[in-house]
Amino acid sequence: MAGSDGRPLLQIAPMMEVTYRDFRYFMRLLTRRAQLWTEMVVDDTILHNLDTEKCDRFLGYDKKEHPIVCQLGGSDPSKLAAAAEVVQRYGYDEVNLNVGCPSCRVATKGEFGCSLMKRPEVVRDAIHAMSRVVQIPVTVKCRLGVDDCDSQDFTREFIQTVAQGGCKHFIIHARKAWLNGLSPAQNRTIPPLHYPRILDLCERFPDLNFSINGGIADVGHARALLNFPTQRLEGENSELYSAAWGWSSETGQACPVPPNLQGVMIGRGAMNTPCMLWDVDHSMYGEEKPAPMTRRKLLENYRLYLEEAHGDGSTVGSTHLALKPTLGMFAGLRGNKAFRCTADTAMRKKNEEGAAANVLKLAMEAVEAANPGILDEVLPATTAFQVARQNDTPRGQKRKPAQPEASDMMTCAAETVPVQMADSSPLVTVSTQ
C-alpha cells in the first residue's frame, strides 16, 4: 500500500539473512503499509529451481506481506528476464535489480551488485529485457558510485543510461562503495554520506523517481527527509528538514523539496530497533492513531505465527532464524541479556521443547523476571528527528583521536556536504547494500 499520493514512503531495505519470510511477517505485525523487500535472489537460483516446491523456498511469501518487492541479482539480460517472469507469476508488486551490493565476492563471480555501476550499458539492457516481459515495475537499487568512479557526473551518466532501458525509479544508497579494501559492513559506514546529491538527481531527472537509503536509523529521520508527510510533530520545521538533508548553501537558497522523491529506505534501524515501526502507519501514512502497543502483545502475536509456521520442533539453525527478528526488541533495556541467553539455551533442546514458539515463550518469561513490567510498557510514539552533534560517537564505537575526514581520502564531489549521522551498531552481522 502506497501513501495517498502513490509514493511508497517507507521501505524496509533488502538484507541478506535478515529480510526472509519470518522477518517480513514480523514487520507486518508492526506496519501494514511499509514496503517490504526480500533478500536478494540470484537469477540462476530461481531458474535452477523452477519446481514449485523448490521455488517456494526462495520466492514464497504470506499474502499479508504486500506490498512486497523481490530483489534479483545477476547481469545476464535473458536470465534476469526469465527470473522476472517467475517473480511476476508469484504475485510480487515490483521486481528490483541489485546494483548496490558492495561485496567483492558477489561483484566478481557472475557479476552482480555494485560492480555493475561500471557497466551501465549492461544494466540498461537487463532492465530493458526485464521490462519487456513483465507488467510490474522494474526498478534499480544502486549507490552514488563505486571505487574511483563516484563523481557527480558519473552518477548522472549512470542514471541517464539505465533510464534508457525503462527504469523509472532508482533507490540510491547515498554513498559510494569500495569493492576492495572495505568489507560490506565497513561500506555501510566509512564512505561518507552525500544526501544533497540525491536532491541533485531529483532536479536533473524530473521525469524519474528516486528513493534515498543510507544512514537512516529512525522514523523521525525518515519523516524529516520526506518533509513531514503527515501532520507535523512538535519540533518539526523547515530548519529540521534542511538539517536532515545536510543542506548547506552559501547563497542562502532553501533546501529543495523534490516532488519525485518517492520514499526513504531503512535497513539496520528496522532490524536493530523494530519497535519504532509500530506507529508508522499513522506517522508516515496518515492513518488513524493506533491503539497502544506493548512488547508482550507484539511477541504473543508473533508466537502464534511461529506455532503455525515452525511448530515441528525444527533444527537449532531454523529456530535461530525464526527468532532472529525479535532480537532487537529489548535493545538497550534491562532484560535483554536474559532474553537472548534463555533463547539460545532453549533452542538447543530437541523436538517440541526446542520449537520456536516455545523458545520465545521461555525467553519472554525470562525477560519478565529480569525486568518486571517491561513487556507491558506502552511503546513510545514517533518523535521529531534529533540531529547528531558534530562530535557524537555512534553507539558501539569507541571515540578515536581526530583524523582527516574520510572525504579527504576518497574521491567525492566537492559541491556536496557529507552528512554525519549517529547510527546504531548491528546486533547481528548482515550484508546490506
Side-chain angles (χ1 to χ4, degrees):
M1 264 175 252
S4 58
D5 55 0
R7 297 184 296 169
L9 298 181
L10 186 66
Q11 300 154 288
I12 307 301
M15 295 176 280
M16 295 302 295
E17 299 183 358
V18 175
T19 53
Y20 45 86
R21 291 183 70 169
D22 294 331
F23 178 88
R24 298 194 305 262
Y25 191 93
F26 186 68
M27 290 292 102
R28 278 290 169 254
L29 295 176
L30 292 158
T31 167
R32 298 183 302 106
R33 303 289 296 274
Q35 187 186 68
L36 302 181
W37 286 50
T38 68
E39 302 173 274
M40 183 194 68
V41 186
V42 178
D43 51 11
D44 277 338
T45 299
I46 295 174
L47 300 180
H48 294 165
N49 294 278
L50 291 176
D51 178 76
T52 301
E53 184 175 348
K54 293 180 179 178
C55 203
D56 281 350
R57 291 172 50 203
F58 306 101
L59 294 182
Y61 63 92
D62 191 285
K63 62 181 181 180
K64 293 181 180 179
E65 293 177 38
H66 287 290
I68 182 170
V69 179
C70 179
Q71 185 181 64
L72 295 179
S75 57
D76 185 300
S78 60
K79 288 184 178 180
L80 285 167
E85 284 188 287
V86 179
V87 169
Q88 179 172 258
R89 286 202 301 270
Y90 265 79
Y92 281 87
D93 301 294
E94 181 180 314
V95 60
N96 176 270
L97 181 61
N98 177 2
V99 193
C101 182
S103 170
C104 60
R105 179 174 60 86
V106 300
T108 52
K109 185 178 180 181
E111 191 168 15
F112 53 90
C114 208
S115 66
L116 288 173
M117 290 197 72
K118 297 180 180 180
R119 303 174 64 195
E121 293 81 8
V122 172
V123 181
R124 176 198 62 197
D125 294 344
I127 293 298
H128 179 65
M130 295 163 71
S131 299
R132 291 187 62 184
V133 298
V134 299
Q135 300 300 314
I136 57 177
V138 180
T139 60
V140 167
K141 187 174 189 298
C142 61
R143 291 205 172 205
L144 289 177
V146 55
D147 295 334
D148 292 323
C149 303
D150 68 334
S151 69
Q152 202 160 34
D153 285 340
F154 171 82
T155 311
R156 291 169 181 170
E157 291 172 6
F158 174 82
I159 297 296
Q160 184 173 14
T161 300
V162 175
Q164 293 170 0
C167 181
K168 300 296 184 183
H169 186 185
F170 292 83
I171 300 89
I172 303 180
H173 190 140
R175 53 163 58 96
K176 66 183 290 182
W178 287 100
L179 295 183
N180 293 296
L182 294 182
S183 68
Q186 290 172 321
N187 264 306
R188 293 195 300 268
T189 56
I190 292 179
L193 290 161
H194 291 278
Y195 287 175
R197 285 179 57 176
I198 306 299
L199 295 175
D200 171 77
L201 293 173
C202 289
E203 181 181 3
R204 288 272 175 168
F205 301 98
D207 295 331
L208 300 178
N209 294 319
F210 296 90
S211 290
I212 184 172
N213 174 221
I216 305 158
D218 60 70
V219 179
H221 193 188
R223 281 179 53 84
L225 290 169
L226 291 171
N227 197 29
F228 320 115
T230 61
Q231 184 176 356
R232 292 190 177 188
L233 305 174
E234 182 179 356
E236 292 183 334
N237 51 45
S238 57
E239 289 77 16
L240 185 62
Y241 171 72
S242 298
W245 278 99
W247 180 259
S248 176
S249 176
E250 295 180 357
T251 64
Q253 180 184 0
C255 183
V257 183
N260 54 339
L261 183 70
Q262 293 289 293
V264 170
M265 179 170 277
I266 293 180
R268 286 176 296 150
M271 178 187 71
N272 291 343
T273 52
C275 290
M276 70 176 180
L277 298 173
W278 80 274
D279 69 340
V280 297
D281 292 350
H282 169 66
S283 62
M284 292 291 291
Y285 297 92
E287 290 193 358
E288 291 186 12
K289 191 173 182 179
M293 173 68 74
T294 66
R295 290 177 177 83
R296 184 188 301 279
K297 182 177 180 181
L298 178 58
L299 290 174
E300 279 294 343
N301 287 337
Y302 189 59
R303 190 180 66 80
L304 294 176
Y305 159 78
L306 293 177
E307 286 183 345
E308 181 176 347
H310 298 276
D312 56 352
S314 43
T315 64
V316 173
S318 61
T319 299
H320 170 73
L321 289 175
L323 292 177
K324 191 173 176 180
T326 69
L327 294 183
M329 290 286 294
F330 303 96
L333 299 174
R334 186 160 55 89
N336 184 44
K337 184 177 180 180
F339 182 82
R340 286 168 167 266
C341 290
T342 301
D344 183 66
T345 300
M347 71 176 61
R348 301 178 188 280
K349 298 180 180 180
K350 297 181 179 180
N351 302 322
E352 289 77 8
E353 285 187 273
N358 187 62
V359 171
L360 180 56
K361 178 175 178 290
L362 294 174
M364 290 172 63
E365 292 172 353
V367 76
E368 176 66 20
N371 190 354
I374 184 65
L375 288 173
D376 297 308
E377 287 183 3
V378 175
L379 297 179
T382 296
T383 57
F385 173 55
Q386 299 294 314
V387 180
R389 294 171 297 178
Q390 186 72 19
N391 61 349
D392 276 354
T393 300
R395 190 179 67 184
Q397 296 184 13
K398 295 181 179 179
R399 190 178 299 279
K400 298 180 180 180
Q403 297 178 351
E405 290 292 329
S407 56
D408 293 336
M409 299 179 283
M410 301 180 186
T411 304
C412 297
E415 63 268 36
T416 60
V417 181
V419 179
Q420 297 182 352
M421 295 296 160
D423 203 356
S424 301
S425 57
L427 294 172
V428 291
T429 301
V430 298
S431 173
T432 60
Q433 299 156 40

